[in-house]
């Protein structure tokens, strides 16, 4: 088991200017009207690819808060084989994978699929969301941030 080298709160305290810039970039797509459930799916998928335990757990919890179906959260890692995802979600997930695994490039097929589902403006905002989560993943994976704990539901009995 690996242990955190630094924690998320340490990043905020050590580099408040960098934290604010990355946080702001992470919010622009949602503020522009992009579907927040879709954004959580792409953030979760990039975080899985990048091996950022903090971000995987964080975006599962955020997705749950936004009402993303549990099956989608569980199956995003194998989205190509799971029927739960819409054509728009599939295009976004393919776009996310291409931009996260950038050394492999973005194929014309993936670009065409994304362009068929998203307007030029939406695709630019989707790209900003992918860029942002990849930045967060670099910090979280480098410093092995401890994943956030699930808070018990209000009124739930402790076991």
């Amino acid at each position: 088991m690996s242990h955190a080298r630094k924690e998320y709160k340490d990043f905020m305290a050590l580099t408040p200017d960098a934290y604010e810039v990355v946080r702001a970039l992470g919010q622009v797509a949602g503020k522009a009207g992009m579907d927040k459930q879709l954004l959580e799916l792409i953030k979760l998928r990039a975080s899985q690819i990048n091996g950022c335990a903090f971000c995987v757990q964080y975006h599962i919890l955020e997705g749950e808060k936004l009402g993303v179906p549990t099956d989608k959260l569980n199956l995003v890692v194998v989205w190509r084989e799971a029927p739960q995802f819409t054509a728009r979600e599939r295009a976004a997930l393919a776009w996310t994978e291409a931009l996260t695994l950038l050394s492999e490039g973005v194929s014309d097929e993936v670009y065409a699929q994304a362009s068929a589902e998203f307007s030029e403006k939406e695709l630019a905002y989707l790209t900003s969301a992918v860029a942002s989560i990849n930045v967060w993943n670099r910090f979280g994976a480098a410093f092995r941030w401890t994943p956030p704990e699930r808070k018990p539901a209000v009124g739930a009995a402790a076991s």
Side-chain angles (χ1 to χ4, degrees):
M1 178 176 167
S2 63
H3 299 284
R5 292 176 175 139
K6 293 280 182 212
E7 291 294 354
Y8 175 74
K9 63 181 175 34
D10 297 326
F11 172 67
M12 293 187 316
L14 290 169
T15 58
D17 50 351
Y19 168 79
E20 284 301 321
V21 168
V22 178
R23 188 181 67 77
L25 178 60
Q27 294 178 345
V28 296
K31 286 181 179 179
M34 295 291 295
D35 180 288
K36 290 183 175 150
Q37 288 188 357
L38 175 70
L39 292 174
E40 289 307 318
L41 290 174
I42 64 106
K43 291 173 184 179
L44 175 56
R45 184 64 190 122
S47 299
Q48 290 169 337
I49 292 167
N50 290 322
C52 180
F54 177 93
C55 294
V56 166
Q57 178 71 349
Y58 181 87
H59 292 292
I60 286 171
L61 296 174
E62 288 299 303
E64 288 173 351
K65 286 182 203 171
L66 290 171
V68 176
T70 302
D71 284 349
K72 284 188 178 180
L73 293 171
N74 290 336
L75 295 171
V76 72
V77 70
V78 290
W79 63 270
R80 285 181 179 84
E81 289 78 31
Q84 287 82 355
F85 298 93
T86 66
R88 188 170 169 91
E89 290 166 338
R90 290 176 183 284
L93 290 165
W95 188 250
T96 299
E97 288 183 359
L99 294 176
T100 300
L101 302 166
L102 198 51
S103 63
E104 297 176 22
V106 179
S107 71
D108 290 341
E109 178 184 347
V110 169
Y111 180 78
Q113 181 184 12
S115 295
E117 294 293 333
F118 296 93
S119 70
E120 288 181 9
K121 187 174 186 174
E122 289 174 325
L123 193 54
Y125 278 117
L126 183 62
T127 302
S128 74
V130 174
S132 171
I133 191 57
N134 275 282
V135 171
W136 281 119
N137 291 163
R138 271 48 179 183
F139 287 111
F143 297 110
R144 295 184 190 146
W145 293 342
T146 302
E149 292 185 20
R150 180 179 300 280
K151 292 182 176 50
V154 176
S159 44

